[in-house]
Amino acid sequence: MLIPHPLLGLRDAQEFTYLGDASLMARPDPDQPDAEAAFADYVFLRDNPAGVHRELWFHEQGDRSWLVVTRNTVTHEILGAELATDVARRGA
Amino acid sequence: MGFSGFRVIKEALTGHRGWGELWRNLEPKPEYDIIIVGGGGHGLATAYYLASVFKTSRVAVLEKGWLGSGNIGRNTTIIRSNYLLPGNQPFYEFSMKLWENLEQELNFNAMVSQRTIINLFHSDGQRDAYRRRGNAMHLTGAGGRLLSQEELRGIAPFLNFDNARFPIKGGLIQERAGTARHDGVAWGYARGADRRGVDLIQNCEVTGFRIEAGKVLGVETTRGFIGAKKVGVAVAGSSSRVMAKAGMRLPIESHVLQAFVSEGLKPTIPGVITFGAGHFYVSQSDKGGLVFGGDIDGYNSYAQRGNLPVVEDVIEGGMALMPMLGRARLLRSWGGIMDMSMDGSPIIDRTHIDGLYFNGGWCYGGFKATPASGYAFAHLLATDTPHDTATAYRFDRFARGHVVDEKGVGAQPNLH
Amino acid sequence: MTRIQGGLIDRNRPLSFRFDGRSYSGFEGDTLASALLANGVRLVGRSFKYHRPRGIFSAGSEEPNALVELREGARREPNTRATVVELYDGLVADSQNRIGSLEHDLLSVNDLFAPFFAAGFYYKTFMWPRAFWEKLYEPAIRRAAGLGSLSMLADPDAYDRGFQHPDLLVIGGGAAGLMAALTTGRAGASVLLADEDCRLGGRLLAEGGVIDDTPAADWVAGVVAELENLPNVRILTRTTVFGAYDHGVYGAVERVSDHLPEPGRKVRQTLWRISARHAILATGATERHIPFGDNDRPGIMLAGAMRAYVNRWAVTPQARAEDPVAIFTNNDDGHRTALALAARGVPLAGVIDTRSGVSSLGEYRTFAGATVTGTKGRKGLSAIELRHGGTSEWLNCGALGVSGGWNPNVHLASHHRGRPLWSDEKLAFVPDDNGPQGLLVAGAARGEGSTAEALADGARVALTALEALGISGTAPAIPVASEEPSAIEAFWHVPAKGRAWVDFQNDVTVKDIKLAHQENMRPVEHLKRWTTLGMATDQGKTANVTALAVMAELTGKTIPETGTTIFRPPYTPVSMGVLGGGDTGQRFRPRRLTPTHPWAEAQGAVFVEVGPWMRAQYFPRAGETHWRQTVDREARAVRASVGVCDVTTLGKIDVQGPDAGEFLNRIYANLMGTLKPGKVRYGLMLREDGIAYDDGTCACLAEGHYVVTTTTANAGLVYQRMEFARQCLWPELDVTLISTTDAWAQIAVAGPKSRELLSRIVDGFDMSNDAFPFMGCAELTVCGGLRARLFRISFSGELAYEIAVPARYGNALMERLMDTGKDLDVTAYGTEALGVLRIEKGHATANEINGQTTATMLGMDRMVSRKKDSIGAIMSRREGLSGDARRLVGFVPVDAGEPVVAGSHLVAPGDPVDMAHDQGWITSACYSPHVGSSIGLGYLVNGDSRLGQEFIAANPLEGQSVRVKAVSAHFVDPEGERLRD
């Protein structure tokens, strides 16, 4: 697979380490009363879609940036990639 | 009429005219007591034990493709009960005991071959971890021995003992482990279930669940609605997709695992061997192909195919461990979709929907579990209580903090 | 000998070779198969199940029968297709899968018992008695099964891997591929043209026709010359593109030296990973046969293969030149073979054509509306029975060419699990549009099979590819090729009383397919798995479509309704050696060396693999005969005077920025933001699921500047997680991270005399306990100006420090410390003594913090701060974690002479040794010179309240059982006075 790094262009996926669903960026508020339940969902449950999936890749053998890659899990087609910091700052 | 050597001879002499269908082709009935969704190994085994042990009648298995087209149709055929944790080891040992009598019980030769498994270790720390595991095996009567390097040289002289980046220091062997003919297991259970009155329905995909007031009433399928008092889902690989139709999110990601077979070779290696310093394990089929595999590709996928880096990684490990493999050839590689769960262990449990039961999350270890999984799921469906060896496989273990994490890598499925 | 004139062989270069011990000769340009045929050798192998005598069936990589063991000794390659082996001088090959000689294979007895070995028979028997499967049945089956055998010797050859990034990959260099490469190459695209053959041309080399009024081979030579002159075109011959992967990545293997007696200084093969923006699949087609009774005899081959042998290799297919040859066909292409044979003076017995009303295309007899119904000749065809007009007759013939039509080689187009489409017009599966993105199909691979069609289609598809690449190109003049008749009728098999083979290698017959149907194994995957159809080394290239047609006939369905099997990589089998890429033996993984490695090596240290690192395990001295002597000495020296140990491998992460303290508060379970400059604190990290992840120290060097240390194993992972937290969770925090593990050499200096030793090298730094107390840190200079960092931390429980200097000075610092401390009896110690010291002190490492450990088990649950949020804090409070009753405690043997063994499980004395009575396990153990016995650490249920109790450390795995006593995990200085001294 090739990942379109927003700064570095197409890079072999072998340079990256995969984490999982980009929902892992949405860490629950620890101060909410139901925090333990919210964290259990956050840590353990996944949509795991057959289709478009926003997911986290770490450019470990590269510039060490985390990317949010949008990829189809059925065809492996990649629809886009963004720096995770940009996504996180946007709050999306 | 059953299968036997005598019958094979008789049929051979009479032009094989007497062999009947292994199972019937049936139209689905409007309603069943229990519907099993998924005609893979676990679903078929569940149906078989429901009919044979729990004497449940009016059972159907609905399969979207052909019987045995689940991961039982594309795995690397290893059976073993060499687990570490108390939540796992008794279950897999129960499975091993079922394997040991399976063929006689099913009257079907699934080529269960207790050819041994050897897990190699390459450091003192690994040895200590394997000793703890081996002793856990003994605590359930599963047996096992720690092999010295010298003993290993006797068993597998072709391993790279003398020029290895990570020298082989020894191994943990389970003599009762081995392999089975994966398709044969599916067919044996299917035939056994069919002969006990279970309706096996092929080309019948479940497209939804009919749920009213928190209770399941049946399933919508490509062949219409089929009513049921209880529905058991055993569709590992597609679990999230199917359970989403009941509105559930699971502690599961789908990942692709590649597997490989070489061209046929005369007897080359004994039993199953796993590399402790790379991603490679191998056995040899009765037909002569070296069947091997390694790590999952590592990204969510439903594509049933993987990519080249993992092919190279696996075979690099194979070459490091067995340098004589260089002159063998890879014949075929394929990919299967794994239910990678958040702790690497399966789920066999009721859901919050009355009458809906779930069996999945087998990661890439479901084949060896087939008999026990079927038995335990049948037990749960028939009695509404978990089987003694499967009490740890509950949904709520994640929220409550009772995960069964053999590898100790936490809620990151691609590391299990 | 059946060699004729012409062909593309070099008669000036005769080559000698041996097959099954007999010497033969051939020419440069021959394959092993063509050379064997030229020498009249027809029997070359035995089939898989029935051990039937088999001959050469094809002229290419689809060969099911002619498999040999090529070469000798460690280079022996089993299952090698003689049809693709280039002949070289001195080649040695042997037939395989036989007991005794090929002529008199003892296992051919299987053929007599063939009725018992019908499809699926083994699922129905061999079940009683149970124990006989492993002991008797299975070993016998295994010995008979398999094909060739490995030498079991290490592969002596080298392999390599490489990468290519062309605009366009053209797969196959036949008529379509050559035109595609030419069109795109002329337009300036970077083109990689790969072909599995040793020379380009594909079927053009086998057909011997005329293109643009020149012989096809000459036309090919002209095109190749032009391509070779284009700097933007690279040609890889002997290269099989074996798989289509994601995003335009293709795997290919180049057989660099397989045509040579030995690779010499070259690699044997190269694995290419090709990232192409677009690709053109021009892989041609494979001929299929028509099953009929006894259709597997040596001498029966594909009709198109006969044409290839005659035209390219100048050899005719029969054993003796005077033996007539017959053709069995359902299409015009079979007649082309008859014409080619006739043109070379080969006697023809006639063409048996299933179609009524067809007539000869030349000077030979045609039996229209006829079929072949039987054959004679056990080890070589001698006669065929043909049936026409309601009568049967026998024709003597020495070879029979069979043509059932051509199957496009769609494999790579289907590697992404797209299914090919059935064309009723072409009677073949052709590629659908749902193939890999960027892959176009041209020529015979999509059913455009005549030379003229393929030439035109290659150019046409090339223009499409250029457009997609955004490169302008011009349509080339399409070379003129002669018209080739291609009419075909559907005819799939001749009903036979006896066996009619569909899959030759795996011995699957029409009867087996019928039996599968009878037993309801009708879905194509059931058919395949029940009968083993298409599962041989040729993956059913000549069998699968025919089998589908037979099953379709039985079920009354159409062929596409019956299905296709899934195409999977590799296209043809690929050596494991090249897929491993050549990184074997010591080169399997890179080796990381610590900065003091040269010094340790000079001391004669014994090294041990620690992940990627090589670390000094211990430093034996003269007279020490056992590692324990050395390790005991090293450990004692630390407790008595001073020891030094390279601890560079511990991860070091530099954290800087105004928000660094807040960031670390969220990373560590305990409070870290309150750490003052010049201070070090122990820190525990949790995973978000609340389980203990890693531990180490955090040093505050200055306001907003911290150094985090991690365990060796987790160095990379902790850094990754911290970057995740920084970039994905809290991007608002102003903090930067960098791993400095490799930048700083770090040496532990431990023992009561460590202060004295270090004070000799620091540049005026006040080492007194008051000025630099326990858990202090400082930036300073040593040895007269060398930048250094000093941490007063202790892993051993003794007064101890860790000193870091830029990595390139690590070796010199070690030498200086050893030199300066001679009078203090400074002693180098390795990882083994390090382990002893930390077990004595009760420090947890990877054996204790193994990813399954709760803070509670470590007795650190109160460290998880409730004053702030941190990763894992919330989840660590779940009942399953906070209620964990297991505690880390120490163990000593009741009888001091007995060992404590890591991995033993703990049970109460008198209890049965089973899961229900399991009380915990020993995590780490060693001999403690300080205690004077073996000691261990371990987790014990309610361990903190059971100190002093005795347990059985059960190790049934090794037949061992030791009575142990639970004690405090701190065997040394439990009050911690020494390290604060």
PDB file of all heavy atoms in Angstrom, chain B residues 98-111:
ATOM      1  N   LEU B  98     -12.082 -32.909  22.713  1.00  0.00           N
ATOM      2  CA  LEU B  98     -13.102 -33.173  21.683  1.00  0.00           C
ATOM      3  C   LEU B  98     -12.448 -33.561  20.356  1.00  0.00           C
ATOM      4  O   LEU B  98     -12.920 -34.453  19.658  1.00  0.00           O
ATOM      5  CB  LEU B  98     -13.999 -31.947  21.502  1.00  0.00           C
ATOM      6  CG  LEU B  98     -14.920 -31.611  22.670  1.00  0.00           C
ATOM      7  CD1 LEU B  98     -15.611 -30.259  22.442  1.00  0.00           C
ATOM      8  CD2 LEU B  98     -15.968 -32.701  22.897  1.00  0.00           C
ATOM      9  N   TRP B  99     -11.344 -32.886  20.018  1.00  0.00           N
ATOM     10  CA  TRP B  99     -10.617 -33.249  18.783  1.00  0.00           C
ATOM     11  C   TRP B  99     -10.221 -34.730  18.820  1.00  0.00           C
ATOM     12  O   TRP B  99     -10.269 -35.421  17.810  1.00  0.00           O
ATOM     13  CB  TRP B  99      -9.332 -32.433  18.629  1.00  0.00           C
ATOM     14  CG  TRP B  99      -9.474 -31.027  18.130  1.00  0.00           C
ATOM     15  CD1 TRP B  99      -9.157 -29.881  18.810  1.00  0.00           C
ATOM     16  CD2 TRP B  99      -9.925 -30.599  16.836  1.00  0.00           C
ATOM     17  NE1 TRP B  99      -9.392 -28.773  18.025  1.00  0.00           N
ATOM     18  CE2 TRP B  99      -9.866 -29.189  16.814  1.00  0.00           C
ATOM     19  CE3 TRP B  99     -10.386 -31.283  15.707  1.00  0.00           C
ATOM     20  CZ2 TRP B  99     -10.235 -28.440  15.691  1.00  0.00           C
ATOM     21  CZ3 TRP B  99     -10.756 -30.540  14.590  1.00  0.00           C
ATOM     22  CH2 TRP B  99     -10.683 -29.133  14.598  1.00  0.00           C
ATOM     23  N   GLU B 100      -9.792 -35.163  19.990  1.00  0.00           N
ATOM     24  CA  GLU B 100      -9.210 -36.502  20.070  1.00  0.00           C
ATOM     25  C   GLU B 100     -10.234 -37.606  19.782  1.00  0.00           C
ATOM     26  O   GLU B 100      -9.843 -38.717  19.459  1.00  0.00           O
ATOM     27  CB  GLU B 100      -8.539 -36.701  21.437  1.00  0.00           C
ATOM     28  CG  GLU B 100      -7.224 -35.934  21.517  1.00  0.00           C
ATOM     29  CD  GLU B 100      -6.587 -35.933  22.902  1.00  0.00           C
ATOM     30  OE1 GLU B 100      -7.327 -36.022  23.903  1.00  0.00           O
ATOM     31  OE2 GLU B 100      -5.350 -35.828  22.972  1.00  0.00           O
ATOM     32  N   ASN B 101     -11.504 -37.292  19.918  1.00  0.00           N
ATOM     33  CA  ASN B 101     -12.518 -38.310  19.601  1.00  0.00           C
ATOM     34  C   ASN B 101     -13.432 -37.898  18.457  1.00  0.00           C
ATOM     35  O   ASN B 101     -14.447 -38.531  18.202  1.00  0.00           O
ATOM     36  CB  ASN B 101     -13.376 -38.595  20.841  1.00  0.00           C
ATOM     37  CG  ASN B 101     -12.593 -39.365  21.877  1.00  0.00           C
ATOM     38  OD1 ASN B 101     -12.134 -40.474  21.605  1.00  0.00           O
ATOM     39  ND2 ASN B 101     -12.383 -38.764  23.030  1.00  0.00           N
ATOM     40  N   LEU B 102     -13.055 -36.826  17.790  1.00  0.00           N
ATOM     41  CA  LEU B 102     -13.961 -36.204  16.836  1.00  0.00           C
ATOM     42  C   LEU B 102     -14.324 -37.121  15.674  1.00  0.00           C
ATOM     43  O   LEU B 102     -15.492 -37.257  15.292  1.00  0.00           O
ATOM     44  CB  LEU B 102     -13.318 -34.931  16.291  1.00  0.00           C
ATOM     45  CG  LEU B 102     -14.217 -34.100  15.386  1.00  0.00           C
ATOM     46  CD1 LEU B 102     -15.294 -33.434  16.222  1.00  0.00           C
ATOM     47  CD2 LEU B 102     -13.406 -33.033  14.667  1.00  0.00           C
ATOM     48  N   GLU B 103     -13.324 -37.772  15.105  1.00  0.00           N
ATOM     49  CA  GLU B 103     -13.563 -38.492  13.860  1.00  0.00           C
ATOM     50  C   GLU B 103     -14.440 -39.719  14.086  1.00  0.00           C
ATOM     51  O   GLU B 103     -15.306 -40.033  13.278  1.00  0.00           O
ATOM     52  CB  GLU B 103     -12.228 -38.888  13.249  1.00  0.00           C
ATOM     53  CG  GLU B 103     -11.444 -37.648  12.854  1.00  0.00           C
ATOM     54  CD  GLU B 103      -9.971 -37.894  12.759  1.00  0.00           C
ATOM     55  OE1 GLU B 103      -9.370 -38.288  13.794  1.00  0.00           O
ATOM     56  OE2 GLU B 103      -9.410 -37.720  11.686  1.00  0.00           O
ATOM     57  N   GLN B 104     -14.186 -40.380  15.213  1.00  0.00           N
ATOM     58  CA  GLN B 104     -15.009 -41.545  15.523  1.00  0.00           C
ATOM     59  C   GLN B 104     -16.433 -41.095  15.807  1.00  0.00           C
ATOM     60  O   GLN B 104     -17.397 -41.733  15.400  1.00  0.00           O
ATOM     61  CB  GLN B 104     -14.425 -42.300  16.727  1.00  0.00           C
ATOM     62  CG  GLN B 104     -13.116 -43.026  16.414  1.00  0.00           C
ATOM     63  CD  GLN B 104     -11.956 -42.084  16.132  1.00  0.00           C
ATOM     64  OE1 GLN B 104     -11.855 -41.011  16.701  1.00  0.00           O
ATOM     65  NE2 GLN B 104     -11.077 -42.485  15.233  1.00  0.00           N
ATOM     66  N   GLU B 105     -16.554 -39.958  16.494  1.00  0.00           N
ATOM     67  CA  GLU B 105     -17.884 -39.466  16.806  1.00  0.00           C
ATOM     68  C   GLU B 105     -18.638 -39.046  15.549  1.00  0.00           C
ATOM     69  O   GLU B 105     -19.820 -39.329  15.392  1.00  0.00           O
ATOM     70  CB  GLU B 105     -17.784 -38.277  17.779  1.00  0.00           C
ATOM     71  CG  GLU B 105     -19.160 -37.785  18.182  1.00  0.00           C
ATOM     72  CD  GLU B 105     -19.128 -36.649  19.185  1.00  0.00           C
ATOM     73  OE1 GLU B 105     -18.102 -36.467  19.866  1.00  0.00           O
ATOM     74  OE2 GLU B 105     -20.154 -35.959  19.277  1.00  0.00           O
ATOM     75  N   LEU B 106     -17.927 -38.376  14.637  1.00  0.00           N
ATOM     76  CA  LEU B 106     -18.586 -37.869  13.431  1.00  0.00           C
ATOM     77  C   LEU B 106     -18.653 -38.905  12.323  1.00  0.00           C
ATOM     78  O   LEU B 106     -19.326 -38.694  11.324  1.00  0.00           O
ATOM     79  CB  LEU B 106     -17.827 -36.644  12.905  1.00  0.00           C
ATOM     80  CG  LEU B 106     -17.846 -35.382  13.768  1.00  0.00           C
ATOM     81  CD1 LEU B 106     -17.019 -34.294  13.098  1.00  0.00           C
ATOM     82  CD2 LEU B 106     -19.258 -34.894  14.008  1.00  0.00           C
ATOM     83  N   ASN B 107     -17.930 -40.006  12.475  1.00  0.00           N
ATOM     84  CA  ASN B 107     -17.799 -40.989  11.395  1.00  0.00           C
ATOM     85  C   ASN B 107     -17.297 -40.287  10.132  1.00  0.00           C
ATOM     86  O   ASN B 107     -17.831 -40.406   9.038  1.00  0.00           O
ATOM     87  CB  ASN B 107     -19.149 -41.694  11.135  1.00  0.00           C
ATOM     88  CG  ASN B 107     -19.067 -42.684   9.981  1.00  0.00           C
ATOM     89  OD1 ASN B 107     -19.844 -42.618   9.039  1.00  0.00           O
ATOM     90  ND2 ASN B 107     -18.106 -43.587  10.037  1.00  0.00           N
ATOM     91  N   PHE B 108     -16.258 -39.506  10.317  1.00  0.00           N
ATOM     92  CA  PHE B 108     -15.707 -38.734   9.204  1.00  0.00           C
ATOM     93  C   PHE B 108     -14.243 -38.491   9.519  1.00  0.00           C
ATOM     94  O   PHE B 108     -13.900 -37.999  10.601  1.00  0.00           O
ATOM     95  CB  PHE B 108     -16.445 -37.396   9.078  1.00  0.00           C
ATOM     96  CG  PHE B 108     -16.269 -36.724   7.751  1.00  0.00           C
ATOM     97  CD1 PHE B 108     -17.154 -36.968   6.709  1.00  0.00           C
ATOM     98  CD2 PHE B 108     -15.222 -35.844   7.533  1.00  0.00           C
ATOM     99  CE1 PHE B 108     -16.993 -36.347   5.481  1.00  0.00           C
ATOM    100  CE2 PHE B 108     -15.052 -35.224   6.314  1.00  0.00           C
ATOM    101  CZ  PHE B 108     -15.944 -35.471   5.273  1.00  0.00           C
ATOM    102  N   ASN B 109     -13.375 -38.867   8.609  1.00  0.00           N
ATOM    103  CA  ASN B 109     -11.946 -38.695   8.857  1.00  0.00           C
ATOM    104  C   ASN B 109     -11.532 -37.263   8.541  1.00  0.00           C
ATOM    105  O   ASN B 109     -11.382 -36.896   7.379  1.00  0.00           O
ATOM    106  CB  ASN B 109     -11.142 -39.676   8.007  1.00  0.00           C
ATOM    107  CG  ASN B 109      -9.664 -39.608   8.319  1.00  0.00           C
ATOM    108  OD1 ASN B 109      -9.219 -38.781   9.121  1.00  0.00           O
ATOM    109  ND2 ASN B 109      -8.896 -40.482   7.695  1.00  0.00           N
ATOM    110  N   ALA B 110     -11.363 -36.458   9.568  1.00  0.00           N
ATOM    111  CA  ALA B 110     -10.929 -35.076   9.393  1.00  0.00           C
ATOM    112  C   ALA B 110      -9.419 -34.965   9.517  1.00  0.00           C
ATOM    113  O   ALA B 110      -8.884 -33.875   9.611  1.00  0.00           O
ATOM    114  CB  ALA B 110     -11.618 -34.169  10.409  1.00  0.00           C
ATOM    115  N   MET B 111      -8.767 -36.111   9.497  1.00  0.00           N
ATOM    116  CA  MET B 111      -7.295 -36.158   9.511  1.00  0.00           C
ATOM    117  C   MET B 111      -6.708 -35.392  10.687  1.00  0.00           C
ATOM    118  O   MET B 111      -5.735 -34.644  10.545  1.00  0.00           O
ATOM    119  CB  MET B 111      -6.737 -35.683   8.178  1.00  0.00           C
ATOM    120  CG  MET B 111      -7.060 -36.692   7.076  1.00  0.00           C
ATOM    121  SD  MET B 111      -6.664 -36.088   5.445  1.00  0.00           S
ATOM    122  CE  MET B 111      -8.260 -36.253   4.658  1.00  0.00           C
TER     123      MET B 111
END
